[in-house]
Amino acid sequence: MGLLPKYKIEALKREKREAKAAKKRKENTRSKIVRFLIVCEGSRTEPNYFQALVRDRYSEVRDEKIVGEGKSTCALVKRTLQIKDELERKRQLPFDRVWVVFDKDDFTDFNEAIQLATSYSFQSAWTNEAFELWYLLHFQYLDAGISRHNYIEKLQGEVRKHPGYENYEYKKNDVSVYKMLTTIGNEDLAKRYAERLRSFFEGDEDYKEHKPCTTVDVLVGELENPENLLQSR
C-alpha cells in the first residue's frame, strides 16, 4: 500500500487536531457548569419560588432542574434519590448538587429525613416550622416558634405596610411571591437573620427542636453564586 498524498495526510492531521480541541472544549464546558437538582415537598409553592429566583438571576455556570413532588420528609428524600438516578441515566451527566426542600409541620420523621438526606450526600433546605418563615425574614427577625398560620398573618402585616400592597393576601401557590420579596423585602437581611437563628442551635442535631430555624438561605446562596462551588471541585 502506497503512501497517502501529502494533502490527505494534512487533512487527517487537521481532523485529529479538531477532534482533540472539540473534546477539550467539551471537558472545559463541563468543568464550568454546576448542575443542581432541587426536589421540593410542595408541588407548587417552593418550586415557584426557586424557578423565579433562577430565572431572574441568569448564570452561565448554573444548570438546574426543579421538581415539586407533593411528598414530605423521608418519603421525599427517597423519591429524590429515584429522580436523581432516572435523570442522570437519561442525561448521561451527574448532578453536582442535590437539594431536598421540606418543612417540619406535623411530621414526626423530620430528624430522620435530614439524616437520610445526608447519608445520600444530599443537601437539605429545611424549615422548622414552615417555608413561610423564610419569606417573613425578608421583613423582620423572629425567634419565637409559631405556626404556619401565624407566619402568614405576620407576613401579610409586614407586606401591607408598603405602598401598593395595602390589601395584600398571601396565597400559597402565588407565582408573584418572589417578585414581591425582591421589590419590597430584603434578601440580605433574610440571610443574616437565618444565620442568626441557626447560631442558637449550633452543635445540636435534634433538628425538630430547632424552632424557628431554616437552611433555605444556604440553597439560595448556592443558586445565586454557583461559581463559588467550582472552586471546591
Side-chain angles (χ1 to χ4, degrees), residues 117-171:
T118 301
S119 74
Y120 292 152
S121 297
F122 297 166
Q123 311 299 313
S124 298
W126 54 263
T127 306
N128 187 356
E129 180 92 1
F131 194 78
E132 285 79 7
L133 168 64
W134 170 244
Y135 295 162
L136 180 60
L137 293 178
H138 285 67
F139 301 95
Q140 68 168 220
Y141 179 68
L142 177 74
D143 59 7
I146 59 177
S147 68
R148 181 192 295 270
H149 177 71
N150 292 137
Y151 284 131
I152 292 172
E153 284 187 338
K154 285 183 174 291
L155 177 63
Q156 289 179 160
E158 289 295 323
V159 174
R160 289 171 185 170
K161 294 176 184 177
H162 296 267
Y165 290 89
E166 292 84 356
N167 299 312
Y168 177 78
E169 293 286 340
Y170 174 75
K171 297 181 179 63

Side-chain angles (χ1 to χ4, degrees), residues 14 29 63 90 115 129 137 139 150 155 158 163 183 190 217 221:
R14 186 170 60 253
T29 299
D63 178 42
K90 262 186 210 175
Q115 292 160 1
E129 180 92 1
L137 293 178
F139 301 95
N150 292 137
L155 177 63
E158 289 295 323
T183 301
D217 60 300

Side-chain angles (χ1 to χ4, degrees), residues 13-45:
K13 286 182 179 177
R14 186 170 60 253
E15 287 175 9
K16 190 174 180 180
R17 285 196 303 270
E18 289 174 352
K20 188 175 179 180
K23 183 181 179 183
K24 189 173 181 180
R25 283 196 301 272
K26 185 176 180 181
E27 289 171 351
N28 287 342
T29 299
R30 172 65 186 89
S31 69
K32 291 179 182 176
I33 295 178
V34 181
R35 290 179 168 83
F36 287 88
L37 171 62
I38 303 165
V39 181
C40 309
E41 67 170 345
S43 59
R44 291 182 63 186
T45 301

